[in-house]
Structure formats: structure tokens, C-alpha cells
Amino acid sequence: MVSMRDRVKQLVPTQVTTRVKESLVDYGVRTSDRRPLPDFLIIGTKRGGTTSLWNYLIQHPLVPRLFPAWNTKSAHYFEEHWGRGEAWYRSHFPTERQRDALAKRHGGPVRVGEAAPLYMFHPLAAQRVAALMPTVKLIVLLRDPVERAYSHWKERRTHGIEPLDFAAALAAEPERTAGERERLIAEPESFSEPYDWYTYRARGRYLEHLEPWLERFDRQQILFLPSEDLYRDSRATYRRTLDFLGLPAYDLPNFKVYNDRRSAPLEPTVRAELTDYYRPYNDALRQRLGLDLDWADRAA
């Protein structure tokens, strides 16, 4: 039987940790006027390598992590936490003084950012970002939408959120997500888990979700990266990203793949159906962006 004293001992570390976290969050908000907005955003796509690219970038000495340290790669401000306000968002980034110290130490420009793959897909994110940060640089990873959808399902399955097999989940998607996009627009401070969790097919219609960004930002502000390039040659894609952000070259010892999920191959009939479904959307995307995407060739 656990004594009362032992119970108190077990609770104290948790209570201390909670108080420390609350103090750090409060400090970040109180000093938000000294915390510049980010220089870049990785806005998508989900299951397209955003976590890997983010972790490569924060290994560069001139790309600081978010504040406080437990924040992994995003504040999720422009989709989930919009109601918290700009001061709360700024609280996640380093102060001007910290930026200056980092620049002096390493002799180069500091670039601060975050990675939130739901930003590209959220119906209000583009206009929110454009209003607050019209000069921000945007990085977009685009993965073969068939592979992306299957990987998305595997992630939900692994987390215990998805009880259905992949084919059944695709069939259930319209009913599960019906009206969610419209609700996000009608209720600007709301958040939709079904819209994030179960949009396996919808998220792969990339151009549909990129148009609001293309309408609001100059093409020179946007870097499009095929996810397959990141997988095939991480070093070259990393260097290309550094050039886009105006950062000096910096080599990494290795390029670990983050959040990789091995599994059985996608069932051929489901792959064929999705490949046919996405073909016109992929063709429109290639034409609009002028990208040489080899998804159809690889699928064949």
C-alpha cells in the first residue's frame, strides 16, 4: 500500500514541472513585444517529410528552436490556436537579443521558423498568415498523393485513432468530414479533429489547397520541394532549402528519417483507384507550378 508521504513525493515533481512550464509560457507572452515573428513556415504537406526537414534545419547553428524547449516544431497558431492572439504566437520565438547574440556567435543571419503541415490545408490559414506576415517565406513539401494518403492512414492507425482498414477509411471519409471545412470558416476560432485526422483523400488535391497561398504570396517567397527529392537526396534538398532561406552552407553528419512507418505494400486495387483519381489533379498541379513531378511514372 502506498503511503500518503509517498503519494506526495510522486506528485511534487509533476506539480513543479507544471509550475515551471506555466512560468515559461507566461514569460514568453510578457516578452512577446521583443520576439520578432518567424522568417519562414513549412506549411505542408502532412506525411511529406516536414518533420525530417524541420529537424535538419534546427541543426543549423543559425536556426534556433522554438520557445519553450518542449515545443517541437509548431505553435499551431494559424489553425488550432488562432483565438489565443498574436502575443501568444510571438511567445514561441526567440527575442531580438537572442537573435543578435546567435548572429554574432556564428557570423551570419538568423532564420526563425516553424513547421505545421495543417497550415496548407486549413481554409483560413493563408489569409491569416498573409495579414500578419506578408513577407514570410514558405516551404511546401509535396509527396505522391497516393503514398501520402496511405502514410496518413498508417499514422492514424498507429496512434489508435483509426479503427478501419485503409479502403474502408477512404470510403468513410466523406461522411466523417462532412461540413467540417465549412464549420471552420463559419466559426473562425474552432478546430476540427476529423478535418485533421480523416482527410486521407482530400489532402492530396494539392492545388486546391495551394491556390489561396499562390493568390496572396509572390512565387519568389515559396519553395516547392517534391518529397521524393528529400527522400532520394536529403543533402541536396537541405542545401537547396538553406539557399532559399539565405543561410550559409552547413553540412550535417547524417540525415535521419523521422516518423518513418514501415508496413505492408498498398493493396494494388486501392493503389490503382487512387492513382486514377489523382491523375487530373496532379496534371493541373504540374501545369500551374511548372514542376517536374514523376508520381505517375513511379506508380506505373
Side-chain angles (χ1 to χ4, degrees), residues 84-273:
R84 293 178 180 265
E86 183 181 336
W88 180 87
Y89 182 54
R90 285 179 177 267
S91 75
H92 290 77
F93 305 107
T95 62
E96 190 69 61
R97 182 177 179 180
Q98 290 169 328
R99 280 178 173 248
D100 290 345
L102 205 58
K104 289 176 182 177
R105 188 182 313 144
H106 298 286
V110 171
R111 296 290 184 261
V112 174
E114 62 163 336
L118 185 53
Y119 284 174
M120 186 179 91
F121 187 56
H122 193 281
L124 300 178
Q127 66 190 59
R128 290 170 173 174
V129 173
L132 185 62
M133 305 184 297
T135 61
V136 73
K137 290 194 171 186
L138 306 170
I139 300 171
V140 182
L141 286 153
L142 297 173
R143 183 180 184 181
D144 179 340
V146 177
E147 298 295 340
R148 193 223 67 80
Y150 189 40
S151 182
H152 187 173
W153 172 82
K154 286 188 289 183
E155 180 192 62
R156 298 296 85 196
R157 188 81 162 181
T158 302
H159 290 172
I161 293 170
E162 179 55 84
L164 304 177
D165 65 35
F166 187 44
L170 289 172
E173 180 176 334
E175 181 178 356
R176 282 171 156 182
T177 62
E180 292 301 304
R181 184 178 181 85
E182 293 75 15
R183 183 171 69 82
L184 289 172
I185 296 172
E187 304 171 13
E189 294 188 7
S190 65
F191 180 74
S192 170
E193 288 179 342
Y195 189 75
D196 185 17
W197 289 353
Y198 301 127
T199 44
Y200 307 117
R201 187 187 298 265
R203 286 205 194 204
R205 301 192 297 264
Y206 295 132
L207 186 56
E208 174 184 322
H209 313 303
L210 283 171
E211 282 293 1
W213 299 89
L214 293 168
E215 292 168 2
R216 292 171 171 84
F217 294 91
D218 190 280
R219 277 294 298 271
Q220 300 303 312
Q221 291 175 246
I222 310 176
L223 175 64
F224 293 102
L225 297 171
S227 300
E228 291 73 20
D229 288 356
L230 180 66
Y231 303 146
R232 282 189 294 244
D233 193 343
S234 300
R235 195 176 304 277
T237 304
Y238 174 67
R239 289 173 179 167
R240 184 180 173 194
T241 306
L242 296 184
D243 287 343
F244 172 71
L245 295 176
L247 286 164
Y250 184 80
D251 204 13
L252 302 181
N254 62 74
F255 289 86
K256 170 186 173 182
V257 177
Y258 291 78
N259 292 345
D260 188 26
R261 299 187 186 279
R262 303 289 179 177
S263 69
L266 177 55
E267 203 278 321
T269 58
V270 178
R271 177 181 295 281
E273 187 275 325

